[in-house]
């Protein structure tokens, strides 16, 4: 069992400032659900004095992650942005009376979320959206991204969107939705029709082509970016057999990578897909 | 505050009768069983009695039981013995979901030139026999597969595997610490050569285990020294603990069936109660072939350690496969091998019961759990929407 201080337990069991501020002046998001912890802070800031009037958080994570977030929001309230910038992860840990060594990353996460929020306040970055609406599930492209890319590049056709974002390039089930978004972007007032019909049952050939396509176009580039690689060995019915290559061979997170590939294939091709290592 | 103990796959309470049977051997009968005098000799006889009690529980001959210090020692001994007695063979088959006592020992051996095949499991945690058949070769020194999994309770087809190996005369060891005492195990009917059992999983104390070695199996000791255990395990016998293990086995054999029914009924009530009252919860593991005391449930969008600490406020003890509870910050290797979604692994909780649980304890868990899950989901930015996060590629 972790040796948590009374202060950690208190902030875990009675977290302060849980929630989300409406129309926040700054948002900071860090982490994701797959990796086990994620934190979102929203701030209300007095634009004249740059003083933080209110701070709220939402956290997915263990007790120390929740306690660190709670403390962070407490520390932020009443401080100016300049003062807030000076809060370190050690300040968060100290406020909690210390954290177990293995849990220090929870305080670091708090500090990182704060950095994101400050950058966002200064207009340097847009926060990543945790619950953004994903339009193209094959390539994980959000509605926001499609809108942004369309406006910035004056894209008017679905084909252009696919070329610029890959959205709609695989299973094609979101093409109707992309079209609706485009019409909305360019203010063509027409009732938006969203294609929610379930994709048709794939033939074996279509399935194999789709799996190859996803591996080639999405998964391999992502692994290669980290010095790894993967090879498609065979497809037996719904069993996709792959082999790790390069850095992936020795990567301790292999199981997780395999799982994320499976998740992706299941999402696009069908729930019955399993991915195994050769 | 009362303790509501639902972590019996981690360890169990020592039975009162077991403790009572042990105490005289600290205080009054402290002789060395190897001594020539009557004072020591009487202790030797008690050890042999304990050996019979252990043998009886698993249908073995007393001569086939070697006392060890724990399940891990038994596991290590079994594997070492097989490779010492088959020096030319360099291949070991085990599974991806073994206890670290086997898994990490195999990893250690792989650094010494051994080739290890880790058999996969399917999404219900069932061993894939096909890959086992494919892995068998002439270089095989030993196959070590657990009988029942500690995290999910899923039972493996030990009989089937043993039959396949029998023809090929490959040493077959099974780590049975989770099943012995919970379900009937009879080595007479099982085509296995070695079997590990552990005291503290069956209401004996920590620090005592046993290894069953079938007569005729070539054996090489792991701890070398004196002639204790007929030269098969050196070191002065841990007398009181051996006697305690004997007593625990005697009790287990006597109340097995009654206990199985009782525990299973409580487990099912707990499981159904939680599934019915907590949305987005699901069972990990094959419900058809599972230990009667184990339930592994995933609560999506919340993190396991947070659940455990909230349960702790009510004195409820359970465990989790979440990365944050493991010390190594790695999520459960068992659930990962099963391909359980990451979001579900982080929120997995294992309840494991024993004969000492009561129905009102189960009711308490069913009462407090939905609130805990709801509270934590309210704190979480993920709420209840199903989300696919970005994958970890590093």
């Amino acid at each position: 069992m972790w040796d948590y201080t009374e202060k950690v337990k208190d902030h875990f069991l009675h977290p302060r400032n849980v929630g989300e501020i409406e129309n926040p002046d700054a948002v900071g998001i860090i982490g994701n659900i797959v990796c086990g912890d994620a934190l979102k802070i929203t701030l209300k800031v007095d634009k004249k004095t740059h003083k933080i009037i209110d701070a709220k958080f939402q956290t997915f994570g263990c007790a120390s992650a929740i306690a660190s977030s709670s403390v962070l929001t407490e520390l932020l309230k009443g401080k100016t942005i300049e003062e807030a910038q000076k809060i370190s992860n050690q300040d968060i840990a100290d406020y909690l009376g210390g954290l177990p060594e293995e849990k220090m990353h929870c305080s670091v996460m708090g500090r990182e979320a704060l950095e994101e929020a400050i950058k966002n306040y200064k207009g340097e970055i847009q926060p990543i959206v945790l619950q953004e609406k994903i339009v193209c599930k094959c390539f994980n492209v959000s509605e926001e991204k499609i809108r942004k890319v369309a406006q910035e590049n004056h894209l008017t056709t679905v084909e252009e969107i696919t070329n610029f974002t890959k959205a709609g390039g695989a299973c094609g089930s979101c093409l109707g939705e992309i079209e609706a978004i485009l019409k909305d972007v360019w203010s063509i007032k027409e009732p938006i029709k969203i294609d929610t019909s379930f994709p048709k049952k794939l033939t074996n050939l279509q399935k194999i082509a789709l799996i190859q396509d996803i591996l080639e176009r999405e998964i391999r580039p992502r692994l290669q970016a980290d010095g790894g690689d993967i090879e498609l060995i065979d497809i037996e019915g719904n069993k996709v057999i792959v082999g790790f290559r390069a850095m992936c061979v020795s990567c301790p997170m292999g199981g997780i990578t395999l799982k994320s590939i499976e998740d992706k294939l299941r999402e696009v091709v069908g729930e019955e897909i399993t991915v195994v290592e050769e | 505050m009362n303790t509501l103990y639902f972590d019996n796959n981690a360890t169990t309470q020592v039975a009162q009768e077991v403790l009572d049977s042990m105490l005289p051997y600290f205080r009054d009968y402290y002789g060395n069983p190897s001594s020539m005098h009557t004072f020591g000799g009487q202790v030797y006889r008690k050890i042999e009695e304990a050996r019979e009690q252990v043998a009886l529980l698993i249908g073995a001959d007393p001569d086939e039981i070697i006392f060890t210090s724990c399940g891990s020692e038994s596991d290590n001994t079994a594997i070492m013995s097989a490779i010492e007695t088959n020096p030319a063979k360099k291949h070991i088959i085990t599974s991806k979901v073994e206890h670290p006592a086997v898994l990490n020992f195999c990893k250690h051996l792989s650094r010494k030139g051994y080739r290890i095949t880790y058999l996969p499991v399917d999404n219900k945690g069932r061993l894939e026999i096909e890959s086992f058949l494919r892995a068998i070769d002439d270089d095989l020194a030993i196959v070590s597969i657990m009988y029942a999994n500690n995290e999910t309770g899923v039972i493996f087809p030990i009989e089937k595997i043993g039959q396949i190996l029998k023809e090929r005369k490959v040493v077959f060891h099974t780590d049975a610490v989770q099943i012995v005492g919970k379900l009937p195990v009879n080595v007479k009917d099982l085509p296995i050569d070695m079997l590990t059992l552990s005291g503290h999983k069956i209401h004996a104390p920590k620090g005592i285990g046993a290894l069953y070695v079938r007569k005729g199996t070539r054996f090489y000791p792991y701890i070398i020294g004196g002639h204790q255990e007929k030269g098969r395990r050196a070191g002065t016998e841990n007398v009181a603990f051996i006697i305690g293990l004997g007593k625990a086995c005697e009790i287990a054999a006597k109340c097995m069936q009654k206990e199985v029914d009782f525990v299973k009924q409580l487990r099912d009530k707990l499981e159904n109660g939680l599934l019915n009252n907590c949305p987005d919860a699901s069972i990990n593991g094959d419900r058809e072939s599972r230990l009667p005391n184990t339930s592994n449930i995933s609560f999506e969008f919340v993190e396991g350690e947070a659940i455990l600490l909230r349960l702790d406020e009510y004195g409820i003890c359970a465990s989790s496969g979440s990365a944050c509870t493991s010390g190594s910050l790695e999520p459960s290797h068992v659930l990962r091998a099963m391909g359980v979604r990451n979001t579900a692994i982080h929120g997995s909780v294992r309840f494991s019961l024993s004969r000492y649980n009561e129905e009102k304890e189960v009711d308490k868990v069913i009462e407090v759990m939905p609130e805990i899950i709801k509270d934590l989901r309210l704190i979480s930015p993920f709420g209840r929407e199903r989300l696919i996060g970005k994958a970890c590629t590093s």
Side-chain angles (χ1 to χ4, degrees), chain A residues 2 34-35 59 103 131 226 259, chain B residues 305 324 339 346 379 381 392-393:
Chain A
W2 301 111
V34 176
C35 292
T59 292
K103 295 286 187 172
Q131 294 194 346
D226 286 332
K259 185 63 193 103
Chain B
E305 189 210 84
C324 287
H346 292 307
I379 299 176
C392 295
T393 51

Side-chain angles (χ1 to χ4, degrees), chain B residues 36-55:
Chain B
M36 276 301 119
H37 40 72
T38 315
F39 185 62
Q42 62 188 356
V43 174
Y44 176 80
R45 277 194 294 281
K46 281 301 283 189
I47 288 182
E48 291 316 298
E49 204 181 299
R51 202 183 303 281
E52 281 166 32
Q53 288 165 323
V54 174

Side-chain angles (χ1 to χ4, degrees), chain B residues 127-130 132-133 136 143 145 147 156-167 172 189-192:
Chain B
L127 202 72
E128 292 186 358
I129 284 284
E130 292 299 307
F132 171 62
L133 292 174
I136 298 172
V143 174
I145 305 279
Y147 206 141
F156 285 163
I158 293 306
E159 206 175 329
K160 208 165 166 182
I161 295 168
Q163 266 151 13
I164 295 163
L165 291 171
K166 208 173 176 181
E167 296 158 21
F172 182 29
D189 306 332
L190 281 174
I192 54 165

Side-chain angles (χ1 to χ4, degrees), chain B residues 246-259:
Chain B
K247 189 74 191 172
C249 287
E250 185 193 64
I251 299 168
K254 209 158 58 191
C255 358
M256 176 98 55
Q257 198 48 55
K258 217 174 111 195
E259 200 179 316

Side-chain angles (χ1 to χ4, degrees), chain A residues 194-254:
Chain A
I194 294 172
D195 181 12
T196 51
S197 64
F198 198 74
K200 284 193 288 284
K201 197 173 171 352
L202 299 167
T203 66
N204 270 338
L205 271 175
Q206 283 172 322
K207 194 194 288 177
I208 291 167
L210 187 54
I211 290 168
Q212 278 176 324
D213 190 54
I214 294 163
L215 286 175
E216 281 304 318
R217 294 177 60 166
E218 192 188 0
I219 290 164
R220 290 192 60 204
R222 220 172 56 200
L223 294 175
Q224 283 162 352
D226 286 332
D229 206 351
I230 201 164
E231 191 184 332
L232 178 63
I233 308 284
D234 203 354
I235 299 172
E236 294 173 9
N238 288 316
K239 191 152 113 187
V240 180
I241 302 161
V242 296
F244 282 130
R245 301 288 177 260
M247 289 288 279
C248 283
V249 176
S250 55
C251 176
M253 303 297 272

Side-chain angles (χ1 to χ4, degrees), chain B residues 19-41:
Chain B
L19 182 63
D20 292 343
S21 75
M22 293 170 64
L23 290 177
Y25 295 88
F26 295 106
R27 242 178 0 224
D28 307 325
Y29 308 106
Y30 52 81
N32 188 323
S34 300
S35 296
M36 276 301 119
H37 40 72
T38 315
F39 185 62

Side-chain angles (χ1 to χ4, degrees), chain A:
Chain A
M1 184 165 186
W2 301 111
D3 191 13
Y4 286 137
T5 63
E6 286 306 313
K7 201 102 186 191
V8 174
K9 283 183 206 159
D10 176 41
H11 276 267
F12 164 62
L13 292 171
H14 313 286
R16 282 50 149 192
N17 314 311
V18 174
E20 195 175 6
I21 294 171
E22 269 183 57
N23 304 318
D25 298 304
V27 181
I29 294 170
I30 207 85
N32 73 56
I33 197 165
V34 176
C35 292
D37 31 33
L39 160 59
K40 176 178 185 179
I41 56 170
T42 44
L43 307 178
K44 196 88 203 153
V45 186
D46 184 324
K47 289 279 166 55
K48 283 190 197 119
T49 59
H50 300 296
K51 203 175 220 169
I52 298 166
I53 308 158
D54 198 6
K56 285 196 189 301
F57 81 92
Q58 289 175 314
T59 292
F60 164 77
C62 56
S64 51
I66 292 170
S68 295
S69 315
S70 168
V71 162
L72 174 65
T73 52
E74 285 287 274
L75 286 171
L76 286 176
K77 282 206 246 176
K79 286 204 170 58
T80 62
I81 288 290
E82 203 179 322
E83 288 164 341
Q85 205 145 15
K86 292 186 188 128
I87 297 172
S88 69
N89 75 293
Q90 196 59 48
D91 292 333
I92 297 170
D94 287 348
Y95 191 100
L96 287 167
L99 280 171
E101 191 72 3
E102 298 87 339
K103 295 286 187 172
M104 281 304 283
H105 71 269
C106 295
S107 65
V108 173
M109 221 173 76
R111 164 71 208 170
E112 287 171 346
L114 171 61
E115 279 167 30
E116 294 288 303
I118 293 173
K119 278 190 208 157
N120 175 237
Y121 178 72
K122 292 178 174 169
E124 290 166 17
I125 53 156
Q126 288 295 314
I128 343 148
V129 182
L130 272 180
Q131 294 194 346
E132 64 188 355
K133 188 179 170 208
I134 301 300
V135 175
C136 170
K137 296 197 173 65
C138 305
F139 295 118
N140 215 24
V141 184
S142 66
E143 177 171 340
E144 204 191 347
K145 182 170 177 183
I146 293 172
R147 283 175 181 276
K148 201 165 160 248
V149 172
Q151 278 164 346
E152 284 171 1
N153 300 287
H154 305 284
L155 309 181
T156 52
T157 68
V158 175
E159 204 183 342
E160 285 172 324
I161 292 291
T162 303
N163 291 339
F164 273 69
T165 66
K166 292 201 220 169
C171 75
S173 67
C174 63
L175 293 174
E177 201 172 341
I178 296 173
E179 195 172 354
I181 293 166
L182 277 177
K183 280 184 180 159
D184 189 54
V185 169
W186 302 115
S187 296
I188 301 164
K189 295 294 171 204
E190 212 179 272
I192 297 171
K193 242 175 63 194
I194 294 172
D195 181 12
T196 51
S197 64
F198 198 74
K200 284 193 288 284
K201 197 173 171 352
L202 299 167
T203 66
N204 270 338
L205 271 175
Q206 283 172 322
K207 194 194 288 177
I208 291 167
L210 187 54
I211 290 168
Q212 278 176 324
D213 190 54
I214 294 163
L215 286 175
E216 281 304 318
R217 294 177 60 166
E218 192 188 0
I219 290 164
R220 290 192 60 204
R222 220 172 56 200
L223 294 175
Q224 283 162 352
D226 286 332
D229 206 351
I230 201 164
E231 191 184 332
L232 178 63
I233 308 284
D234 203 354
I235 299 172
E236 294 173 9
N238 288 316
K239 191 152 113 187
V240 180
I241 302 161
V242 296
F244 282 130
R245 301 288 177 260
M247 289 288 279
C248 283
V249 176
S250 55
C251 176
M253 303 297 272
I256 291 174
T257 308
L258 212 56
K259 185 63 193 103
S260 72
I261 296 168
E262 184 172 275
D263 276 349
K264 178 94 278 175
L265 291 177
R266 279 184 179 178
E267 195 187 314
V268 182
V269 187
E271 274 303 314
E272 63 285 354
I273 294 287
T274 56
V275 178
V276 296
E277 219 183 319
E278 64 175 323

